[in-house]
Amino acid sequence: MSILVSAIGQGLLWGIIGVGLFLTFRILDFPDMTVEGTFPMGAATAVTAIAHGVSPLNATILAFIVGCLAGLVTGLLYTKAKIPVLLAGILVMTASYSIDLRIMGKPNQSLLGLKTLFNNPLFAKLPPYFDSIFIGILIVAIIIAILIYFLQTNLGQSFIATGDNEAMAQSLGINTDNMKIMGVSVSNGLIALGGALIAQNNGYSDVNMGIGIIVVALASIIIGEVIFGNLTMNQRLVAVILGSIIYRIILMIVLQLGFNANDFNLISSVILALFMSLPILEKKYNLKRIIQRGLK
């Protein structure tokens, strides 16, 4: 039971990264590689700040701001310097490795014996792993509520229009470059925030912890879309969180079957490939009818 609770808690925290990528990957149609740099940057920022006496809450907020700045650089390189989108993200992702080393002063930083959001005395009476569920639900609810409100404003509609049809958005007087810069900045801020929370939950940060993050974030998005089907924009944000939880539970089951934890990235890629292939397989082999017959 504790393993399942842990998977749900991890799913909520990793879902924040999925929501961040959703803003660029799905709404803006912007393949942003910066995420593999901003995730460990958020972790490094928060852990180092806590190690230097900053409160865990302020350290987490600082990580969000640093992530926004990294996204801002990517957005400016793409919109103003006219660097191709993938290369702009890769440049910032590569630079972030050196920045993380500068922030921490070493390849990794431990939080052993230090106060974090997850070892707060308020959670002392909670069962094991329920601290991550409590914090995850609280932060996810705040983020989803803010994004739902934002997407219903004129600015939010302009943001959506930029991703749907950039030429049409420009004809309506929307500054699409500003929309892209804003979207990439907020997206990477959320991903850095997720990195800060996961680092505090794990008890350390590492410069290499961003490897494969984009696959994990995409898995949350794809699984949510495949399982829950056609949804409104607001519902899709929630589906990303649920997709992240389902993904973590699937990983838990796979690892319980005896697979090596070192194969985590391989397993993640296989799971993502399977879910991305499901719509085509369903159409080709009519999987729904086969499943219904099997259930009868």
Side-chain angles (χ1 to χ4, degrees):
M1 182 63 183
S2 61
I3 297 177
L4 178 61
V5 172
S6 175
I8 294 172
Q10 287 286 315
L12 287 166
L13 298 179
W14 284 93
I16 297 170
I17 299 162
V19 170
L21 188 64
F22 181 83
L23 295 178
T24 51
F25 183 73
R26 278 293 187 244
I27 298 181
L28 278 183
D29 193 22
F30 188 107
D32 184 20
M33 292 298 295
T34 318
V35 298
E36 298 216 356
T38 46
F39 177 82
M41 186 181 291
T45 301
V47 170
T48 303
I50 291 172
H52 284 80
V54 179
S55 71
L57 179 59
N58 289 336
T60 305
I61 295 172
L62 180 61
F64 172 78
I65 295 171
V66 169
C68 287
L69 292 175
L72 175 64
V73 174
T74 299
L76 291 173
L77 288 176
Y78 174 61
T79 59
K80 305 304 179 185
K82 304 303 179 183
I83 295 175
V85 56
L86 286 175
L87 183 55
I90 291 171
L91 287 174
V92 177
M93 176 188 72
T94 304
S96 68
Y97 185 89
S98 295
I99 294 172
D100 293 343
L101 289 173
R102 286 281 186 178
I103 291 172
M104 293 189 292
K106 50 188 175 181
N108 50 64
Q109 174 75 50
S110 174
L111 285 171
L112 185 63
L114 297 174
K115 184 179 179 181
T116 69
L117 290 175
F118 295 89
N119 58 20
N120 192 295
L122 294 174
F123 304 134
K125 295 183 180 180
L126 290 177
Y129 305 114
F130 271 84
D131 52 351
S132 58
I133 290 181
F134 179 84
I135 292 175
I137 290 175
L138 178 63
I139 295 179
V140 163
I142 293 172
I143 291 172
I144 296 296
I146 292 173
L147 288 177
I148 288 175
Y149 173 77
F150 165 73
L151 293 175
Q152 293 174 344
T153 63
N154 290 335
L155 182 61
Q157 290 299 304
S158 298
F159 177 66
I160 294 173
T162 298
D164 284 343
N165 191 323
E166 185 175 351
M168 183 194 72
Q170 289 174 342
S171 69
L172 294 173
I174 297 171
N175 190 323
T176 55
D177 281 355
N178 287 349
M179 293 299 106
K180 292 175 183 177
I181 292 171
M182 177 187 69
V184 177
S185 298
V186 173
S187 169
N188 282 283
L190 290 176
I191 290 163
L193 172 65
L197 292 171
I198 291 167
Q200 291 180 64
N201 190 39
N202 292 342
Y204 71 94
S205 64
D206 189 280
V207 292
N208 294 314
M209 65 190 299
I211 297 174
I213 290 303
I214 194 167
V215 174
V216 176
L218 280 173
S220 303
I221 297 171
I222 301 300
I223 291 173
E225 291 177 343
V226 169
I227 291 180
F228 299 103
N230 295 324
L231 301 170
T232 65
M233 183 64 72
N234 295 343
Q235 291 171 337
R236 289 173 75 185
L237 290 171
V238 178
V240 171
I241 302 297
L242 296 177
S244 177
I245 294 173
I246 293 169
Y247 170 71
R248 286 288 147 183
I249 292 174
I250 293 173
L251 276 183
M252 176 199 71
I253 294 172
V254 170
L255 293 176
Q256 287 296 307
L257 291 175
F259 285 86
N260 195 316
N262 292 329
D263 297 329
F264 179 82
N265 286 336
L266 173 62
I267 295 169
S268 299
S269 299
V270 170
I271 292 173
L272 178 57
L274 287 174
F275 272 92
M276 291 183 73
S277 303
L278 276 180
I280 296 174
L281 293 174
E282 179 183 332
K283 185 177 180 180
K284 186 174 182 179
Y285 299 107
N286 205 349
L287 291 181
K288 282 186 177 179
R289 183 176 296 177
I290 294 174
I291 292 172
Q292 289 172 354
R293 287 178 179 177
L295 290 175
K296 290 179 181 180

